[in-house]
Amino acid sequence: MAGLWVAVGSAGKLTTSPDGVTWTVQTSSFGTTGISDVAYSPSLGLWVAVGDSGKLATSPDGITWTQRTSGFGTTSILCVCWAEDIGLFICGGSSGLLSTSPDGVTWTSRTSGFGTDSINGVVWSPELGLACAVGLNNEISTSSDGINWTLQTTSGVPSCNDVTWSPALSLFMVVRQTGGAMHRSSDGVTWTAFTVGTSNNIDVCWSPALGLFVLVGQSGLLYTSPDGTTWTSRTSGSGGSTIQGCGWSPTLSLFAWGGNSGKLATSPDGVTWTTRTSGFGSTTISALAWGEAAAAAAAGWTITGQII
């Protein structure tokens, strides 16, 4: 498979793009059920998309999608990632449910440590050999194998919405839901609370090539940071629409974000953004990701976003 962007969102909408410019509407197999997140496994050459009512689908090309039995019943699945080193997809959702799969088809329920609190985001750190899941009531849990999870102690009250990993900085970056609240950690155990702006931050992604975080959120806010400490406000071009998810394509050297009212934009540097026609119409884009087969990918892949 050549490299591809996949964007997902409300009402089962899904679009793809090979360049971030031209987007094509695909049949997702979700019907009108909302899709929350999407992730790609380079080694399996497989996409996994997750959403409301426990729905989960796989695709080898981002175009043809097959519904699978997720084990979530009718409980919403909110996030998914691929952990290459342990060969597992990891997905989390409402009521603290968490499952893993080596192939996207057979899923096994795990004890997350979240109790009945929602899991909103999950990421894998190859450098630490550690998965990090975040969610409601400021909970953060980590695992080295995707099977056994340890709840960590953090400060602050706002719920965690999403998480990303910077290998260059050896830094987890967690977005919390209220008043610009954030967390960062170099090991997944000790966490430092701080703030960026005063509005709700929703998603954050990292570009290895540029050495840059992009942070997006409420009312079209967008910040960039080279170190996770100093953040600079940028003009996102969203026209005030909330941005729900962002991602990075190493092959195209391109950031992309998607959000409310079907808004989508791309940028080669995180500073100058160009709006694109997403194919979503006025429907919300909840997440987008870049995927590329292992043989062709030079620098890996990146995820996600999370609708709140």
Side-chain angles (χ1 to χ4, degrees), residues 193-305:
F194 65 104
T195 59
V196 179
T198 58
S199 297
N200 292 355
N201 301 320
I202 295 176
D203 192 30
V204 62
C205 64
W206 170 257
S207 162
L210 300 181
L212 196 69
F213 285 109
V214 165
L215 171 68
V216 297
Q218 187 179 30
S219 302
L221 71 83
L222 191 149
Y223 292 86
T224 62
S225 174
D227 56 12
T229 302
T230 302
W231 296 82
T232 303
S233 178
R234 308 293 186 183
T235 300
S236 67
S238 80
S241 292
T242 292
I243 304 173
Q244 301 284 1
C246 59
W248 167 255
S249 163
T251 303
L252 301 178
S253 295
L254 198 69
F255 285 109
W257 62 250
N260 291 2
S261 303
K263 296 289 183 71
L264 188 151
T266 61
S267 172
D269 57 10
V271 178
T272 302
W273 293 84
T274 303
T275 56
R276 309 295 185 183
T277 301
S278 68
F280 274 70
S282 59
T283 303
T284 296
I285 302 171
S286 55
L288 44 74
W290 173 262
E292 190 166 351
W301 50 277
T302 187
I303 57 173
T304 63

Side-chain angles (χ1 to χ4, degrees), residues 128-207:
L128 296 182
L130 197 69
C132 180
V134 303
L136 195 65
N137 291 324
N138 202 43
E139 286 168 320
I140 298 176
S141 191
T142 58
S143 173
S144 61
D145 58 10
I147 298 170
N148 302 292
W149 292 81
T150 302
L151 200 63
Q152 305 297 340
T153 301
T154 61
S155 61
V157 176
S159 298
C160 301
N161 193 60
D162 212 349
V163 57
T164 196
W165 167 254
S166 163
L169 300 177
S170 187
L171 203 64
F172 286 112
M173 190 66 59
V174 172
V175 178
R176 291 157 62 191
Q177 287 184 7
T178 304
M182 304 278 287
H183 269 128
R184 56 177 171 248
S185 173
S186 61
D187 58 9
V189 177
T190 303
W191 293 86
T192 301
F194 65 104
T195 59
V196 179
T198 58
S199 297
N200 292 355
N201 301 320
I202 295 176
D203 192 30
V204 62
C205 64
W206 170 257
S207 162

